[in-house]
Amino acid sequence: MVTTPRSIIDSVVRSVCGRDVERLVPLAGGGMNETYRVELAGDHAVVVRIARQDVPWFVDEADLMTQARAVGVPTAEVLGLEHLDHDGQLLSFSVQQFLPGRSLDELIGELSPAELERLVLDAGEILARVHSVDLEDQRGVRHVLRLPEEHEIIQVAGIVRDALSSAEAAVVERGADFLRQQLTTRGAPPVSLVHGDFCPKNLLIHDGAVAGIIDWEFAGRTAPAYDFAQWEVDAGDVLQDRLDLVRRGYARIADPESAEAGWTPAFAVDWALEKLGWKNPASPAQFRRCLDVIARYTTAVRR
């Protein structure tokens, strides 16, 4: 990844925070962006995210985070946004409050089953608060289900056939048929604010509680089922089959069945098909998980 010169980061942080930078620590898991913990004079710290896009970035994200925080979602305050040109390229900076903690994904092996269950239940409750925000306009990313293109399915089936076998490639084709059936026979799903990448890696745990949800870059006005589907596909070996815990926590605030409206299988299959076709392949475990999710739902339909 191309990195931004330290002098530019220092200048932006000084402009937003009014303090000098003492130390810059790269953070893992910043999605498509550079992400740093920035230690400031006076024992303060902030997080800086830097994007390289053709248009100013992080603007909708900051607004959606503010709306989520207003309904009790623990998320960082955006302290300032800056956009500047560097060597003919637009750089967007989001300077955010630093939230202490480690991701749930990192902590899974250190937590007892009871602690892990409690945290996932709490995360489900927080997700219900996210979905309680009814956006009046189309801000952020809109994750829309669409009919699968035949050439895309042929390509993904070929990738799976080359990596595994013809039997697994047939799972891809069944997934496409399932999506076509869902989209042509059912009414449109409900919409609300969604986080867009709801999974353990984006849940910060501090002092035994969910202290923050991070990485709102893919948030937007979409079907709540999208967030449930993201968890099912991306939560990892220990939690990917514990969507029941998310739903139980969600039920403290709202009815998860009404929120999903039966659309979680379609969003899960759609996301799994997309990941299987990535130019930079998903890990072997993610690859296998995608196929397992598609097989589960398409086998259920056939029965």
Side-chain angles (χ1 to χ4, degrees), residues 26-44:
L27 297 178
M32 300 180 295
N33 310 305
E34 293 176 66
T35 305
Y36 301 95
R37 173 179 170 168
V38 180
E39 297 177 3
L40 307 173
D43 197 29
H44 291 270

Side-chain angles (χ1 to χ4, degrees), residues 53 121 148 184 197 244 288 291:
Q53 300 287 343
L121 287 168
T184 56
D197 197 6
D244 63 305
R288 183 72 259 174
L291 287 168

Side-chain angles (χ1 to χ4, degrees), residues 49 61 65 68 73 75 130 193 195 213-219:
R49 302 176 67 210
E61 176 188 83
M65 290 169 68
V73 176
T75 186
V130 174
L193 173 63
H195 176 266
I213 298 186
I214 60 173
D215 199 356
W216 289 75
E217 187 167 7
F218 301 106

Side-chain angles (χ1 to χ4, degrees), residues 286-303:
Q286 290 177 318
F287 200 87
R288 183 72 259 174
R289 177 61 180 176
C290 289
L291 287 168
D292 288 347
V293 166
I294 298 170
R296 173 190 305 167
Y297 286 122
T298 57
T299 299
V301 169
R302 292 173 76 190
R303 287 177 179 172

Side-chain angles (χ1 to χ4, degrees), residues 37 48 64 92 95 100 102 116 123 134 155 176 195 210 245 260 279 302:
R37 173 179 170 168
V48 176
L64 298 178
S92 293
V95 182
R102 295 167 60 194
L116 188 59
D134 185 14
Q155 181 181 26
H195 176 266
V210 181
L245 293 177
E260 293 180 87
K279 291 182 180 179
R302 292 173 76 190

